[in-house]
């Protein structure tokens, strides 16, 4: 049987009160924008109005213009439509298999848009870290959390149950094309309700997610432009953060069925223990796991 002590393993979601709201972005100084540009990757794609190397070389002359553009986006809660068109370069996930499931669609974006996204990421990440809003059982996309964190957590829970002479039932789930099916309306609602994102900041994210488009670049050829109604971009610093926000609902589902669970990005571990010599306990564990998987699938 699942005890009350086991049920308490999955932590409660944070309560987002009025004191934990992020309503307006802070405006950035010249020095802060200079630092963002210097720390950013210097790749160039076909979307750039001028080569990234030239932007960096002329940074002192361009800095007031870049700062004004960036701060205007933050102050108005608006992400320009020209920045929403991505060139997608399919990268192989593993080996040399070029079949569709083995391709990772990495988005190449305009340079200034990526600098603006980094500014938004920094302030949003700071807000979520300050108020401990990140899912505690998600081990991806932030400092101090890694595959090692996930492995140690699951291994430790298994060993503790072995010490109690209990058997562990473990199920591993992997979400295919995890970033692609993200529903924008659901994501915006979750930003507001569970992470305290409101006001101009919420307007910015709504603008960022709406009316996006992309073209596929492959072996020197570029496809026609097509609209994106779902998903967050891979290759953007905001993509992983927004996926974490969107997928945090998963832990509410797990909590309603199982005492334990953990995730690294889109890889999820579901587990619970039972008495090895009890057929009734084993049957209940299997039934609870099946109900949890059905709820996650729904």
């Amino acid at each position: 049987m699942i005890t009350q002590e086991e049920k308490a393993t999955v932590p409660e979601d944070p309560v987002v009160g009025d004191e934990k709201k992020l309503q307006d972005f802070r405006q950035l100084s010249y020095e802060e924008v200079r630092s963002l540009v210097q720390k950013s990757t210097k790749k160039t794609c076909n979307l750039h109005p001028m080569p990234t190397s030239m932007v960096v070389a002329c940074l002192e002359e361009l800095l007031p213009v870049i700062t004004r553009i960036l701060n205007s986006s933050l102050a108005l809660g608006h992400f320009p439509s020209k920045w929403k068109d991505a060139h997608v370069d399919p990268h192989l996930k593993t080996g040399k298999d070029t079949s569709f499931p083995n391709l990772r669609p990495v988005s190449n974006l305009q340079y200034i848009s990526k600098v603006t996204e980094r500014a938004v990421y920094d302030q949003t990440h700071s807000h979520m870290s300050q108020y401990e809003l990140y899912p505690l059982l998600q081990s991806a996309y932030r400092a101090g959390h890694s595959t090692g964190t996930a492995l140690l957590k699951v291994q430790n829970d298994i060993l503790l149950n072995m010490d109690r002479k209990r058997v562990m039932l473990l199920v591993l789930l992997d979400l295919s094309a995890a970033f692609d099916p993200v529903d924008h309306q659901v994501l915006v609602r979750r930003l507001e309700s569970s992470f305290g994102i409101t006001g101009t900041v919420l307007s910015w994210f709504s603008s960022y997610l709406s009316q996006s488009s992309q073209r596929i670049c492959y072996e020197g050829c570029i496809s026609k432009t097509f609209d994106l109604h779902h998903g967050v971009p891979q290759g953007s610093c905001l993509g992983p953060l927004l996926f974490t926000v969107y997928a945090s609902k998963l832990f509410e589902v797990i909590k309603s069925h199982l005492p334990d669970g953990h995730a690294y990005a889109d890889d999820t571990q579901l587990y619970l223990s039972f008495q090895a010599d009890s057929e009734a306990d084993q049957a209940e564990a299997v039934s609870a796991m099946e109900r949890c998987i059905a709820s996650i699938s729904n």
Side-chain angles (χ1 to χ4, degrees):
M1 299 289 290
I2 298 174
T3 65
Q4 288 300 119
E5 181 181 358
E6 288 177 311
K7 287 184 178 179
T9 304
V10 177
E12 294 293 329
D13 287 337
V15 177
V16 182
D18 291 338
E19 75 284 358
K20 298 181 179 180
K21 297 293 177 66
L22 178 62
Q23 184 171 353
D24 297 296
F25 288 119
R26 180 179 56 81
Q27 295 284 282
L28 272 62
S29 66
Y30 287 174
E31 289 303 317
E32 288 173 314
V33 175
R34 178 186 286 108
S35 177
L36 286 175
V37 171
Q38 290 173 343
K39 291 187 297 184
S40 65
T41 57
K42 306 302 187 291
K43 296 179 181 179
T44 295
C45 78
N46 296 333
L47 293 170
H48 295 173
M50 60 188 297
T52 303
S53 58
M54 185 177 296
V55 174
V56 176
C58 302
L59 181 58
E60 293 308 313
E61 291 78 12
L62 294 175
L63 189 60
V65 178
I66 296 173
T67 304
R68 179 67 180 272
I69 292 172
L70 192 157
N71 281 333
S72 294
S73 175
L74 301 186
L76 297 172
H78 177 72
F79 194 74
S81 58
K82 288 290 186 180
W83 293 356
K84 299 179 186 181
D85 182 29
H87 280 191
V88 174
D89 183 12
H91 288 192
L92 291 176
K93 294 180 181 178
T94 57
K96 297 182 179 180
D97 178 17
T98 57
S99 62
F100 186 76
N102 196 43
L103 296 176
R104 177 177 286 108
V106 176
S107 296
N108 293 306
L109 307 163
Q110 287 200 37
Y111 184 68
I112 300 302
S113 77
K114 290 191 291 186
V115 174
T116 304
E117 288 180 34
R118 172 55 64 175
V120 169
Y121 171 86
D122 288 346
Q123 295 192 39
T124 306
H125 170 70
S126 177
H127 163 75
M128 292 172 60
S129 298
Q130 177 184 354
Y131 295 115
E132 300 181 339
L133 299 176
Y134 275 102
L136 293 177
L137 298 180
Q138 170 61 267
S139 286
Y141 307 133
R142 50 189 168 130
H145 295 73
S146 65
T147 51
T149 309
L151 288 170
L152 286 171
K153 172 69 169 71
V154 177
Q155 181 191 41
N156 185 66
D157 289 345
I158 292 173
L159 292 176
L160 287 175
N161 277 285
M162 289 174 64
D163 288 343
R164 298 168 55 206
K165 303 186 185 305
R166 295 175 69 87
V167 175
M168 185 72 79
L169 173 60
L170 171 66
V171 173
L172 307 179
L173 303 179
D174 177 38
L175 180 62
S176 299
F179 282 27
D180 295 340
V182 172
D183 184 290
H184 293 164
Q185 292 184 349
V186 172
L187 175 56
V188 170
R189 288 199 302 268
R190 191 143 187 84
L191 281 166
E192 182 177 19
S193 63
S194 300
F195 293 87
I197 305 297
T198 63
T200 304
V201 179
L202 188 65
S203 297
W204 190 95
F205 278 109
S206 298
S207 176
Y208 174 77
L209 293 168
S210 66
Q211 299 178 331
S212 298
S213 61
Q214 68 180 24
R215 286 173 276 182
I216 309 301
C217 304
Y218 186 70
E219 294 186 345
C221 299
I222 300 178
S223 74
K224 66 178 182 180
T225 300
F226 55 93
D227 296 333
L228 295 174
H229 302 291
H230 295 82
V232 292
Q234 295 192 46
S236 160
C237 63
L238 281 177
L241 183 144
L242 291 174
F243 175 78
T244 298
V245 168
Y246 185 77
S248 62
K249 182 74 172 179
L250 173 68
F251 298 105
E252 294 182 16
V253 177
I254 295 174
K255 184 169 57 184
S256 65
H257 295 282
L258 301 178
D260 289 302
H262 202 83
Y264 180 83
D266 58 335
D267 295 311
T268 304
Q269 300 85 47
L270 309 175
Y271 51 101
L272 76 165
S273 65
F274 59 90
Q275 294 289 348
D277 57 355
S278 171
E279 291 187 6
D281 205 26
Q282 177 178 328
E284 181 183 348
V286 172
S287 179
M289 182 67 72
E290 290 175 341
R291 291 194 300 269
C292 183
I293 293 172
S295 294
I296 291 173
S297 179
N298 288 335

